[in-house]
Amino acid sequence: MLDSDGLSLILQRLRLQAEVYVHADFCGSWVVDTSGSRKVPFHLVESGNSWLHLPGESPRLLTAGELVIFPHDQEHQLCNQDQLPEGVQRNKIPEHNPDLPSTTLACGSFEFVSRNIWPLLDGLPEVIILDLTDTQHFGQTHALMQLMIGELQQREAGCKAVVDQLAAALFIHVLRSQLASGLSQGILAALFDPQIGQALTLLHQRPAEEWSVERLAKEVGMSRSLFSERFRSLAGKTPMRYLAEWRMQEARDLLMNTDRSIGVIAEACGYQSEVAFRKAFRAITGNTPGSVRKSR
């Protein structure tokens, strides 16, 4: 059986969802703007060219095979020219005209159904652009893109379900690409660190155990001081603070998706006292366990 790693467990708890909601040919004058959704928008240039416009920056030409993602929902516009056209309705697909050059775009978004209480995407840039035609570096991601494009073009039964699942896999490939490019801080960087990542996986898999900094350091073969310093440097918080936040994420998931009593959930999250659990839950999430359960 394949064990879940730290990143997989986080994405499972956050319930990563992905959706491709537009796949169309754009010709003539057009503008696409999907910012402000509080999600993570992305655009894939399947064919043709597109100009990317960002506030305060020079326009950038995107060509076929390039994927652009906005981890923090950065304001952006895509259009057919290096100057934003005036009087053009945004996000309207123009009528097809074979006499005009066209650009085929696949537009979608990533989001977490369970809102994260720790910053998984912190440390990522405002904009990520990947040239998926660079198969030396993005061979598997390019193959994933080709599968997605094939599904979008053929539109057979179940197409949307397949495309959305492929898009979710694409998100994980994007995260991996950022580690390969030298991302050095944040929870994501911590997850890929050999020793700190091992410690995070232990916390994710066994949150109810009585963990301490000393015990975690011993488990991963580091001194207490070095482990504590490296954990905080990468993750931006102490191991015990991270554990408390992860336990509350687990608790919130159980409150929303099971009928277990609050006392049972408290014990499952490492608290022997329901009173202590309620106090910790409110301190970290800003809500009471009861209010979270009522909101489901």
Side-chain angles (χ1 to χ4, degrees), residues 125-164:
E126 292 290 338
V127 183
I128 298 171
I129 299 176
L130 303 180
D131 180 4
L132 301 188
T133 64
D134 180 3
T135 53
Q136 181 177 352
H137 295 96
F138 304 113
Q140 290 184 324
T141 313
H142 181 265
L144 192 60
M145 179 192 72
Q146 293 299 109
L147 281 172
M148 184 186 297
I149 289 174
E151 285 287 337
L152 290 167
Q153 290 175 341
Q154 295 172 19
R155 293 189 176 277
E156 296 183 0
C159 166
K160 179 167 174 52
V162 173
V163 168
D164 290 351

mmCIF file of all heavy atoms in Angstrom, residues 125-164:
data_model
loop_
_atom_site.group_PDB
_atom_site.id
_atom_site.type_symbol
_atom_site.label_atom_id
_atom_site.label_comp_id
_atom_site.label_asym_id
_atom_site.label_seq_id
_atom_site.Cartn_x
_atom_site.Cartn_y
_atom_site.Cartn_z
ATOM 1 N N PRO A 125 5.341 32.886 -5.798
ATOM 2 C CA PRO A 125 5.255 34.215 -6.406
ATOM 3 C C PRO A 125 3.820 34.570 -6.789
ATOM 4 O O PRO A 125 2.938 33.707 -6.798
ATOM 5 C CB PRO A 125 6.136 34.090 -7.649
ATOM 6 C CG PRO A 125 6.126 32.627 -7.971
ATOM 7 C CD PRO A 125 6.041 31.916 -6.653
ATOM 8 N N GLU A 126 3.599 35.837 -7.095
ATOM 9 C CA GLU A 126 2.264 36.288 -7.511
ATOM 10 C C GLU A 126 1.837 35.621 -8.818
ATOM 11 O O GLU A 126 0.663 35.331 -9.019
ATOM 12 C CB GLU A 126 2.242 37.815 -7.681
ATOM 13 C CG GLU A 126 2.388 38.594 -6.383
ATOM 14 C CD GLU A 126 1.162 38.483 -5.493
ATOM 15 O OE1 GLU A 126 0.072 38.182 -6.007
ATOM 16 O OE2 GLU A 126 1.304 38.688 -4.275
ATOM 17 N N VAL A 127 2.805 35.410 -9.698
ATOM 18 C CA VAL A 127 2.513 34.834 -11.014
ATOM 19 C C VAL A 127 3.514 33.722 -11.308
ATOM 20 O O VAL A 127 4.720 33.891 -11.095
ATOM 21 C CB VAL A 127 2.596 35.898 -12.131
ATOM 22 C CG1 VAL A 127 2.216 35.290 -13.480
ATOM 23 C CG2 VAL A 127 1.711 37.089 -11.816
ATOM 24 N N ILE A 128 3.023 32.597 -11.785
ATOM 25 C CA ILE A 128 3.881 31.493 -12.210
ATOM 26 C C ILE A 128 3.596 31.230 -13.685
ATOM 27 O O ILE A 128 2.431 31.053 -14.076
ATOM 28 C CB ILE A 128 3.602 30.216 -11.403
ATOM 29 C CG1 ILE A 128 3.907 30.433 -9.921
ATOM 30 C CG2 ILE A 128 4.410 29.035 -11.948
ATOM 31 C CD1 ILE A 128 3.464 29.288 -9.032
ATOM 32 N N ILE A 129 4.633 31.226 -14.498
ATOM 33 C CA ILE A 129 4.486 30.915 -15.922
ATOM 34 C C ILE A 129 5.376 29.727 -16.241
ATOM 35 O O ILE A 129 6.585 29.759 -16.005
ATOM 36 C CB ILE A 129 4.853 32.120 -16.810
ATOM 37 C CG1 ILE A 129 3.937 33.309 -16.505
ATOM 38 C CG2 ILE A 129 4.757 31.741 -18.292
ATOM 39 C CD1 ILE A 129 4.283 34.572 -17.259
ATOM 40 N N LEU A 130 4.773 28.671 -16.758
ATOM 41 C CA LEU A 130 5.514 27.465 -17.123
ATOM 42 C C LEU A 130 5.373 27.217 -18.618
ATOM 43 O O LEU A 130 4.260 27.222 -19.148
ATOM 44 C CB LEU A 130 4.977 26.246 -16.361
ATOM 45 C CG LEU A 130 4.972 26.312 -14.832
ATOM 46 C CD1 LEU A 130 4.407 25.014 -14.267
ATOM 47 C CD2 LEU A 130 6.361 26.574 -14.281
ATOM 48 N N ASP A 131 6.491 27.000 -19.278
ATOM 49 C CA ASP A 131 6.476 26.641 -20.694
ATOM 50 C C ASP A 131 6.456 25.122 -20.784
ATOM 51 O O ASP A 131 7.491 24.462 -20.690
ATOM 52 C CB ASP A 131 7.712 27.214 -21.392
ATOM 53 C CG ASP A 131 7.737 26.874 -22.881
ATOM 54 O OD1 ASP A 131 6.756 26.266 -23.373
ATOM 55 O OD2 ASP A 131 8.732 27.210 -23.542
ATOM 56 N N LEU A 132 5.275 24.569 -20.968
ATOM 57 C CA LEU A 132 5.128 23.118 -20.928
ATOM 58 C C LEU A 132 5.666 22.439 -22.179
ATOM 59 O O LEU A 132 5.709 21.208 -22.236
ATOM 60 C CB LEU A 132 3.664 22.749 -20.712
ATOM 61 C CG LEU A 132 3.030 23.298 -19.428
ATOM 62 C CD1 LEU A 132 1.641 22.714 -19.232
ATOM 63 C CD2 LEU A 132 3.903 23.014 -18.210
ATOM 64 N N THR A 133 6.069 23.229 -23.186
ATOM 65 C CA THR A 133 6.723 22.621 -24.352
ATOM 66 C C THR A 133 8.178 22.274 -24.037
ATOM 67 O O THR A 133 8.829 21.575 -24.812
ATOM 68 C CB THR A 133 6.669 23.560 -25.568
ATOM 69 O OG1 THR A 133 7.415 24.761 -25.285
ATOM 70 C CG2 THR A 133 5.231 23.931 -25.907
ATOM 71 N N ASP A 134 8.684 22.748 -22.902
ATOM 72 C CA ASP A 134 10.032 22.404 -22.452
ATOM 73 C C ASP A 134 9.961 21.022 -21.794
ATOM 74 O O ASP A 134 9.941 20.884 -20.569
ATOM 75 C CB ASP A 134 10.540 23.454 -21.470
ATOM 76 C CG ASP A 134 11.943 23.153 -20.951
ATOM 77 O OD1 ASP A 134 12.546 22.157 -21.407
ATOM 78 O OD2 ASP A 134 12.424 23.896 -20.067
ATOM 79 N N THR A 135 9.939 20.006 -22.630
ATOM 80 C CA THR A 135 9.717 18.648 -22.124
ATOM 81 C C THR A 135 10.902 18.123 -21.319
ATOM 82 O O THR A 135 10.757 17.152 -20.570
ATOM 83 C CB THR A 135 9.408 17.689 -23.278
ATOM 84 O OG1 THR A 135 10.429 17.792 -24.269
ATOM 85 C CG2 THR A 135 8.065 18.035 -23.917
ATOM 86 N N GLN A 136 12.074 18.751 -21.459
ATOM 87 C CA GLN A 136 13.218 18.318 -20.653
ATOM 88 C C GLN A 136 12.954 18.557 -19.167
ATOM 89 O O GLN A 136 13.340 17.762 -18.323
ATOM 90 C CB GLN A 136 14.477 19.063 -21.085
ATOM 91 C CG GLN A 136 15.719 18.642 -20.293
ATOM 92 C CD GLN A 136 16.973 19.336 -20.771
ATOM 93 O OE1 GLN A 136 16.966 20.029 -21.786
ATOM 94 N NE2 GLN A 136 18.064 19.161 -20.050
ATOM 95 N N HIS A 137 12.278 19.672 -18.854
ATOM 96 C CA HIS A 137 11.987 19.997 -17.473
ATOM 97 C C HIS A 137 10.547 19.662 -17.074
ATOM 98 O O HIS A 137 10.267 19.428 -15.901
ATOM 99 C CB HIS A 137 12.242 21.484 -17.215
ATOM 100 C CG HIS A 137 13.672 21.886 -17.352
ATOM 101 N ND1 HIS A 137 14.188 22.425 -18.504
ATOM 102 C CD2 HIS A 137 14.711 21.795 -16.480
ATOM 103 C CE1 HIS A 137 15.485 22.671 -18.341
ATOM 104 N NE2 HIS A 137 15.826 22.300 -17.121
ATOM 105 N N PHE A 138 9.641 19.678 -18.038
ATOM 106 C CA PHE A 138 8.219 19.493 -17.719
ATOM 107 C C PHE A 138 7.604 18.363 -18.546
ATOM 108 O O PHE A 138 6.477 18.465 -19.014
ATOM 109 C CB PHE A 138 7.441 20.799 -17.975
ATOM 110 C CG PHE A 138 7.972 21.984 -17.222
ATOM 111 C CD1 PHE A 138 8.551 23.045 -17.884
ATOM 112 C CD2 PHE A 138 7.902 22.027 -15.836
ATOM 113 C CE1 PHE A 138 9.039 24.140 -17.190
ATOM 114 C CE2 PHE A 138 8.391 23.110 -15.133
ATOM 115 C CZ PHE A 138 8.969 24.172 -15.817
ATOM 116 N N GLY A 139 8.370 17.287 -18.718
ATOM 117 C CA GLY A 139 7.893 16.188 -19.558
ATOM 118 C C GLY A 139 6.577 15.598 -19.080
ATOM 119 O O GLY A 139 5.633 15.442 -19.862
ATOM 120 N N GLN A 140 6.483 15.267 -17.790
ATOM 121 C CA GLN A 140 5.251 14.672 -17.266
ATOM 122 C C GLN A 140 4.106 15.682 -17.274
ATOM 123 O O GLN A 140 2.956 15.330 -17.562
ATOM 124 C CB GLN A 140 5.495 14.157 -15.852
ATOM 125 C CG GLN A 140 6.395 12.935 -15.800
ATOM 126 C CD GLN A 140 6.540 12.400 -14.388
ATOM 127 O OE1 GLN A 140 6.576 13.148 -13.411
ATOM 128 N NE2 GLN A 140 6.629 11.088 -14.257
ATOM 129 N N THR A 141 4.429 16.938 -16.954
ATOM 130 C CA THR A 141 3.397 17.968 -16.964
ATOM 131 C C THR A 141 2.888 18.199 -18.378
ATOM 132 O O THR A 141 1.690 18.415 -18.591
ATOM 133 C CB THR A 141 3.949 19.286 -16.384
ATOM 134 O OG1 THR A 141 4.644 19.011 -15.175
ATOM 135 C CG2 THR A 141 2.827 20.266 -16.104
ATOM 136 N N HIS A 142 3.782 18.149 -19.354
ATOM 137 C CA HIS A 142 3.375 18.298 -20.755
ATOM 138 C C HIS A 142 2.454 17.155 -21.165
ATOM 139 O O HIS A 142 1.442 17.370 -21.843
ATOM 140 C CB HIS A 142 4.616 18.329 -21.653
ATOM 141 C CG HIS A 142 4.308 18.512 -23.105
ATOM 142 N ND1 HIS A 142 4.191 17.447 -23.973
ATOM 143 C CD2 HIS A 142 4.054 19.626 -23.836
ATOM 144 C CE1 HIS A 142 3.904 17.898 -25.178
ATOM 145 N NE2 HIS A 142 3.817 19.212 -25.124
ATOM 146 N N ALA A 143 2.793 15.933 -20.737
ATOM 147 C CA ALA A 143 1.931 14.784 -21.056
ATOM 148 C C ALA A 143 0.552 14.954 -20.425
ATOM 149 O O ALA A 143 -0.474 14.628 -21.041
ATOM 150 C CB ALA A 143 2.593 13.500 -20.558
ATOM 151 N N LEU A 144 0.521 15.478 -19.209
ATOM 152 C CA LEU A 144 -0.749 15.745 -18.531
ATOM 153 C C LEU A 144 -1.559 16.782 -19.298
ATOM 154 O O LEU A 144 -2.772 16.644 -19.476
ATOM 155 C CB LEU A 144 -0.453 16.242 -17.117
ATOM 156 C CG LEU A 144 -1.592 16.324 -16.111
ATOM 157 C CD1 LEU A 144 -2.218 14.957 -15.889
ATOM 158 C CD2 LEU A 144 -1.071 16.880 -14.794
ATOM 159 N N MET A 145 -0.865 17.827 -19.780
ATOM 160 C CA MET A 145 -1.530 18.860 -20.564
ATOM 161 C C MET A 145 -2.114 18.277 -21.851
ATOM 162 O O MET A 145 -3.239 18.614 -22.249
ATOM 163 C CB MET A 145 -0.544 19.980 -20.907
ATOM 164 C CG MET A 145 -1.137 21.093 -21.755
ATOM 165 S SD MET A 145 0.114 22.215 -22.435
ATOM 166 C CE MET A 145 0.868 21.169 -23.687
ATOM 167 N N GLN A 146 -1.362 17.390 -22.498
ATOM 168 C CA GLN A 146 -1.849 16.786 -23.737
ATOM 169 C C GLN A 146 -3.097 15.946 -23.495
ATOM 170 O O GLN A 146 -4.032 15.950 -24.301
ATOM 171 C CB GLN A 146 -0.750 15.929 -24.369
ATOM 172 C CG GLN A 146 0.443 16.719 -24.885
ATOM 173 C CD GLN A 146 0.035 17.703 -25.969
ATOM 174 O OE1 GLN A 146 0.027 18.916 -25.752
ATOM 175 N NE2 GLN A 146 -0.311 17.197 -27.133
ATOM 176 N N LEU A 147 -3.120 15.230 -22.375
ATOM 177 C CA LEU A 147 -4.321 14.467 -22.022
ATOM 178 C C LEU A 147 -5.512 15.400 -21.833
ATOM 179 O O LEU A 147 -6.633 15.126 -22.306
ATOM 180 C CB LEU A 147 -4.075 13.674 -20.741
ATOM 181 C CG LEU A 147 -3.277 12.375 -20.843
ATOM 182 C CD1 LEU A 147 -2.976 11.836 -19.452
ATOM 183 C CD2 LEU A 147 -4.029 11.347 -21.672
ATOM 184 N N MET A 148 -5.284 16.514 -21.143
ATOM 185 C CA MET A 148 -6.354 17.471 -20.893
ATOM 186 C C MET A 148 -6.874 18.065 -22.194
ATOM 187 O O MET A 148 -8.088 18.161 -22.416
ATOM 188 C CB MET A 148 -5.852 18.579 -19.966
ATOM 189 C CG MET A 148 -6.919 19.588 -19.567
ATOM 190 S SD MET A 148 -6.246 20.967 -18.605
ATOM 191 C CE MET A 148 -5.647 20.085 -17.162
ATOM 192 N N ILE A 149 -5.957 18.468 -23.066
ATOM 193 C CA ILE A 149 -6.363 19.053 -24.345
ATOM 194 C C ILE A 149 -7.141 18.038 -25.169
ATOM 195 O O ILE A 149 -8.156 18.370 -25.789
ATOM 196 C CB ILE A 149 -5.122 19.555 -25.115
ATOM 197 C CG1 ILE A 149 -4.550 20.799 -24.418
ATOM 198 C CG2 ILE A 149 -5.469 19.877 -26.559
ATOM 199 C CD1 ILE A 149 -3.244 21.279 -25.011
ATOM 200 N N GLY A 150 -6.676 16.790 -25.173
ATOM 201 C CA GLY A 150 -7.392 15.760 -25.916
ATOM 202 C C GLY A 150 -8.820 15.584 -25.423
ATOM 203 O O GLY A 150 -9.757 15.461 -26.221
ATOM 204 N N GLU A 151 -9.007 15.578 -24.097
ATOM 205 C CA GLU A 151 -10.352 15.468 -23.539
ATOM 206 C C GLU A 151 -11.212 16.678 -23.923
ATOM 207 O O GLU A 151 -12.383 16.533 -24.274
ATOM 208 C CB GLU A 151 -10.275 15.354 -22.017
ATOM 209 C CG GLU A 151 -9.825 14.010 -21.506
ATOM 210 C CD GLU A 151 -10.886 12.930 -21.669
ATOM 211 O OE1 GLU A 151 -12.094 13.282 -21.760
ATOM 212 O OE2 GLU A 151 -10.532 11.745 -21.715
ATOM 213 N N LEU A 152 -10.629 17.864 -23.857
ATOM 214 C CA LEU A 152 -11.375 19.077 -24.180
ATOM 215 C C LEU A 152 -11.778 19.115 -25.652
ATOM 216 O O LEU A 152 -12.861 19.597 -25.996
ATOM 217 C CB LEU A 152 -10.535 20.316 -23.844
ATOM 218 C CG LEU A 152 -10.319 20.592 -22.351
ATOM 219 C CD1 LEU A 152 -9.237 21.643 -22.145
ATOM 220 C CD2 LEU A 152 -11.625 21.057 -21.694
ATOM 221 N N GLN A 153 -10.920 18.604 -26.513
ATOM 222 C CA GLN A 153 -11.222 18.621 -27.937
ATOM 223 C C GLN A 153 -12.254 17.562 -28.328
ATOM 224 O O GLN A 153 -13.145 17.817 -29.147
ATOM 225 C CB GLN A 153 -9.930 18.420 -28.735
ATOM 226 C CG GLN A 153 -8.977 19.606 -28.668
ATOM 227 C CD GLN A 153 -7.656 19.330 -29.361
ATOM 228 O OE1 GLN A 153 -7.288 18.175 -29.599
ATOM 229 N NE2 GLN A 153 -6.914 20.381 -29.685
ATOM 230 N N GLN A 154 -12.163 16.386 -27.723
ATOM 231 C CA GLN A 154 -13.053 15.289 -28.112
ATOM 232 C C GLN A 154 -14.420 15.368 -27.441
ATOM 233 O O GLN A 154 -15.421 14.936 -27.998
ATOM 234 C CB GLN A 154 -12.381 13.951 -27.786
ATOM 235 C CG GLN A 154 -11.115 13.711 -28.606
ATOM 236 C CD GLN A 154 -10.353 12.497 -28.145
ATOM 237 O OE1 GLN A 154 -10.890 11.627 -27.464
ATOM 238 N NE2 GLN A 154 -9.069 12.426 -28.506
ATOM 239 N N ARG A 155 -14.446 15.910 -26.220
ATOM 240 C CA ARG A 155 -15.697 16.136 -25.487
ATOM 241 C C ARG A 155 -16.591 14.895 -25.445
ATOM 242 O O ARG A 155 -17.776 14.935 -25.741
ATOM 243 C CB ARG A 155 -16.479 17.315 -26.090
ATOM 244 C CG ARG A 155 -15.768 18.632 -25.896
ATOM 245 C CD ARG A 155 -16.623 19.822 -26.295
ATOM 246 N NE ARG A 155 -15.966 21.077 -26.006
ATOM 247 C CZ ARG A 155 -15.974 21.679 -24.821
ATOM 248 N NH1 ARG A 155 -16.603 21.123 -23.815
ATOM 249 N NH2 ARG A 155 -15.355 22.832 -24.651
ATOM 250 N N GLU A 156 -16.003 13.780 -25.069
ATOM 251 C CA GLU A 156 -16.773 12.551 -24.927
ATOM 252 C C GLU A 156 -17.478 12.539 -23.569
ATOM 253 O O GLU A 156 -17.259 13.416 -22.724
ATOM 254 C CB GLU A 156 -15.853 11.342 -25.073
ATOM 255 C CG GLU A 156 -15.229 11.230 -26.465
ATOM 256 C CD GLU A 156 -14.371 9.995 -26.610
ATOM 257 O OE1 GLU A 156 -14.267 9.224 -25.628
ATOM 258 O OE2 GLU A 156 -13.806 9.790 -27.698
ATOM 259 N N ALA A 157 -18.312 11.541 -23.343
ATOM 260 C CA ALA A 157 -19.052 11.440 -22.083
ATOM 261 C C ALA A 157 -18.084 11.429 -20.908
ATOM 262 O O ALA A 157 -17.065 10.734 -20.927
ATOM 263 C CB ALA A 157 -19.894 10.166 -22.072
ATOM 264 N N GLY A 158 -18.393 12.218 -19.891
ATOM 265 C CA GLY A 158 -17.551 12.308 -18.716
ATOM 266 C C GLY A 158 -16.375 13.247 -18.868
ATOM 267 O O GLY A 158 -15.494 13.307 -17.993
ATOM 268 N N CYS A 159 -16.358 14.013 -19.955
ATOM 269 C CA CYS A 159 -15.224 14.894 -20.254
ATOM 270 C C CYS A 159 -14.929 15.852 -19.112
ATOM 271 O O CYS A 159 -13.782 15.974 -18.683
ATOM 272 C CB CYS A 159 -15.511 15.678 -21.545
ATOM 273 S SG CYS A 159 -14.393 17.067 -21.824
ATOM 274 N N LYS A 160 -15.941 16.529 -18.604
ATOM 275 C CA LYS A 160 -15.692 17.542 -17.572
ATOM 276 C C LYS A 160 -15.094 16.922 -16.314
ATOM 277 O O LYS A 160 -14.171 17.484 -15.711
ATOM 278 C CB LYS A 160 -16.974 18.288 -17.221
ATOM 279 C CG LYS A 160 -16.770 19.335 -16.130
ATOM 280 C CD LYS A 160 -17.937 20.278 -15.985
ATOM 281 C CE LYS A 160 -17.741 21.204 -14.796
ATOM 282 N NZ LYS A 160 -16.432 21.909 -14.816
ATOM 283 N N ALA A 161 -15.605 15.765 -15.910
ATOM 284 C CA ALA A 161 -15.078 15.102 -14.714
ATOM 285 C C ALA A 161 -13.605 14.739 -14.903
ATOM 286 O O ALA A 161 -12.786 14.934 -14.002
ATOM 287 C CB ALA A 161 -15.897 13.855 -14.400
ATOM 288 N N VAL A 162 -13.259 14.230 -16.082
ATOM 289 C CA VAL A 162 -11.869 13.853 -16.354
ATOM 290 C C VAL A 162 -10.973 15.088 -16.366
ATOM 291 O O VAL A 162 -9.899 15.097 -15.767
ATOM 292 C CB VAL A 162 -11.763 13.108 -17.704
ATOM 293 C CG1 VAL A 162 -10.298 12.874 -18.075
ATOM 294 C CG2 VAL A 162 -12.489 11.776 -17.636
ATOM 295 N N VAL A 163 -11.430 16.141 -17.045
ATOM 296 C CA VAL A 163 -10.624 17.358 -17.159
ATOM 297 C C VAL A 163 -10.376 17.972 -15.789
ATOM 298 O O VAL A 163 -9.270 18.413 -15.476
ATOM 299 C CB VAL A 163 -11.304 18.365 -18.105
ATOM 300 C CG1 VAL A 163 -10.647 19.743 -18.003
ATOM 301 C CG2 VAL A 163 -11.231 17.866 -19.534
ATOM 302 N N ASP A 164 -11.390 18.013 -14.946
ATOM 303 C CA ASP A 164 -11.224 18.614 -13.621
ATOM 304 C C ASP A 164 -10.248 17.805 -12.768
ATOM 305 O O ASP A 164 -9.465 18.367 -11.996
ATOM 306 C CB ASP A 164 -12.587 18.730 -12.917
ATOM 307 C CG ASP A 164 -13.480 19.791 -13.558
ATOM 308 O OD1 ASP A 164 -12.978 20.535 -14.422
ATOM 309 O OD2 ASP A 164 -14.665 19.864 -13.196
#
